[in-house]
Amino acid sequence: MHDVAQKTIKGGMWMTGALNVVASAHFIRLAVLARYLTPDDFGLMAMVLVVTGFAQAIADGGISNAIVAYNRLSNDQLSSIYWFSLLLNLLIASTLILASPALALLFSRVEVGTLLGIAAVLFPLKALGHQFRLLLQRELHFQPVAIVLGASEAVALALALFLASAGFGVLALLYSMISAAAISSIAFLVVHAIVLRTPIRIRLKRSDLRPLYGFGAFQLGERAVNYLSANLDKLLLGKFAGASALGIYDLAWQLISFPLNRINPIVNSVLLPAYAKLDDKKKRATYYANSVTGLSLLLIPFFVFVTFYAGEIVSLVFGSGWEKSADVLKLLSIVGFSKVIANPGGSLLLALDRVEVGFYWNLAWCIATAVVISLALLVSNSEISVALAMAGLAVSLGLYWHKIVADISGAKYGSLVSKLSVGASVCVALCGLSRWLLEGVLVLESSSLLFVAALCISVSYGVYLFWFERSFLVAAKELFK
């Protein structure tokens, strides 16, 4: 366990560093493009990404996680998986091109069809290198993975800024995504050949894939349903309220998604192989409980801060014209926190080979999301009503997910609930006090207000963790020895 833990810690450090680079690049790209594009432009891009994201969720037939979860796949099986995935992605790209006119009609915007035709090239590009990345992660080689991710995103950022300044509009974002996919795939292929040298032959046989059908079927179904439940808000809002409302909503969602999109990949790529390599049920349950508790304690200040300072954040990052996104951002911060602390449970169930649980849960969540959001749009056809509906689901139904994981894994949530309640109360008090002092007493301007508030709250919360949660930090450290 010590060796796995040490590699996990180092892997987490490398992945955190790389994904911080990715997050920074994404943040800068979003902030710059918000000054060039309108809410309608962002709404168009959100429509495209809803479609391509669903296709990406099913692009490997549901079997890529088997490469990480199962340590004894033969070279023949790996070869068949690779070529199956590549051919499937070529099929998806072709289907997307053919279906783009119909999808444009669905959203009542002809521009969607053109953008989808361009975005189709992402699928074969990503498939070329995705398996090599997974093989590196399976063997806990996180350093090269981190370097490739950071470098490819840095190049994509430079391209996006150049194209945006040249007047490419929405295409600046799309072309930068394509460049990142191409660079990372080629790099993973080369790095894998140097580090692991697992041979990938030209081989595609049903017998190699048959043992993975059950795993893949549930993974495929779970991903498809999970993606729909996570994006039904955008799909329905774009269809019934239009591109501008979707653009306002999506920009707020992208801002709150920064910790989700950067932390969740770390959780999946680091914790999944770690859970899979731990055979002792009690240690695995303890490892999981501490993972969720640690994430909660570290991230609750961010989401509470966003709720209190949403207006200033939107104004500073996106400039003028996006004021409506601030109210949406406040509500989506609840959704973001719920998703972050739920993610380790998904990795744990994968390691326990209980993929069917995730599938059925996401199916139930998808149905609930469709019903609640449809009702919300009937009451008020706006971005605020959808955000309010999503926050309500996160607070109510989202909590039941943790009970399911606890029942299966044996994890104990008593300490987590206690620590989270106290931590959240401390953060609310700190944010409320800072808001009153800095705005009512010192009367600072927007950017200075954010900087001083973030600094004061971070230092104060750090002191709280040191004095009142030191025992947890020591226990977590001992767990990895």
Side-chain angles (χ1 to χ4, degrees), residues 324-351:
K324 291 183 179 180
S325 291
D327 292 331
V328 176
L329 184 62
K330 294 176 183 179
L331 293 168
L332 292 184
S333 64
I334 300 171
V335 183
F337 180 71
S338 174
K339 286 181 176 290
V340 166
I341 64 173
N343 199 51
S347 296
L348 181 62
L349 292 178
L350 282 177

Side-chain angles (χ1 to χ4, degrees), residues 226-417:
N226 186 36
Y227 187 83
L228 282 175
S229 65
N231 289 274
L232 273 174
D233 51 348
K234 299 174 187 176
L235 181 63
L236 295 173
L237 183 61
K239 171 64 177 174
F240 295 107
S244 293
L246 177 57
I248 292 169
Y249 180 91
D250 185 60
L251 204 70
W253 180 245
Q254 288 197 55
L255 191 57
I256 207 65
S257 291
F258 281 140
L260 273 69
N261 293 339
R262 309 315 164 193
I263 293 171
N264 285 351
I266 297 174
V267 171
N268 291 331
S269 61
V270 175
L271 292 184
L272 174 57
Y275 290 150
K277 290 179 181 293
L278 293 174
D279 296 325
D280 186 272
K281 181 179 179 180
K282 184 176 180 180
K283 288 182 178 179
R284 187 190 286 130
T286 304
Y287 195 110
Y288 164 75
N290 278 275
S291 300
V292 178
T293 304
L295 281 172
S296 301
L297 288 175
L298 292 175
L299 293 176
I300 188 65
F302 170 81
F303 290 101
V304 174
F305 181 82
V306 168
T307 301
F308 273 81
Y309 291 93
E312 289 79 7
I313 292 172
V314 169
S315 176
L316 178 65
V317 176
F318 303 131
S320 60
W322 296 98
E323 291 77 10
K324 291 183 179 180
S325 291
D327 292 331
V328 176
L329 184 62
K330 294 176 183 179
L331 293 168
L332 292 184
S333 64
I334 300 171
V335 183
F337 180 71
S338 174
K339 286 181 176 290
V340 166
I341 64 173
N343 199 51
S347 296
L348 181 62
L349 292 178
L350 282 177
L352 294 173
D353 200 18
R354 296 296 304 273
V355 291
E356 78 282 358
V357 177
F359 170 74
Y360 290 124
W361 168 256
N362 284 311
L363 180 60
W365 181 270
C366 185
I367 295 171
T369 301
V371 172
V372 171
I373 291 193
S374 296
L375 292 174
L377 287 171
L378 286 175
V379 174
S380 176
N381 200 18
S382 68
E383 63 276 0
I384 287 294
S385 63
V386 173
L388 185 61
M390 293 299 297
L393 280 171
V395 171
S396 55
L397 188 59
L399 294 176
Y400 192 68
W401 164 253
H402 294 283
K403 181 181 185 304
I404 293 174
V405 175
D407 290 343
I408 293 174
S409 65
K412 305 297 182 183
Y413 273 82
S415 176
L416 167 63
V417 173

Side-chain angles (χ1 to χ4, degrees), residues 82-83 86 124-136 144-145 148 181-198 200:
Y82 181 81
W83 293 107
L86 183 57
L125 281 178
K126 288 185 176 182
L128 286 173
H130 184 59
Q131 180 163 321
F132 300 116
R133 172 186 173 176
L134 293 175
L135 288 170
L136 289 166
V145 173
V148 169
I183 293 169
S184 62
S185 284
I186 294 172
F188 283 131
L189 191 154
V190 173
V191 171
H192 172 269
I194 296 172
V195 176
L196 293 181
R197 301 179 182 178
T198 306
I200 300 295

Side-chain angles (χ1 to χ4, degrees), residues 148-165:
V148 169
L149 291 176
S152 61
E153 192 63 30
V155 173
L157 169 63
L159 180 61
L161 297 182
F162 171 76
L163 293 177
S165 64

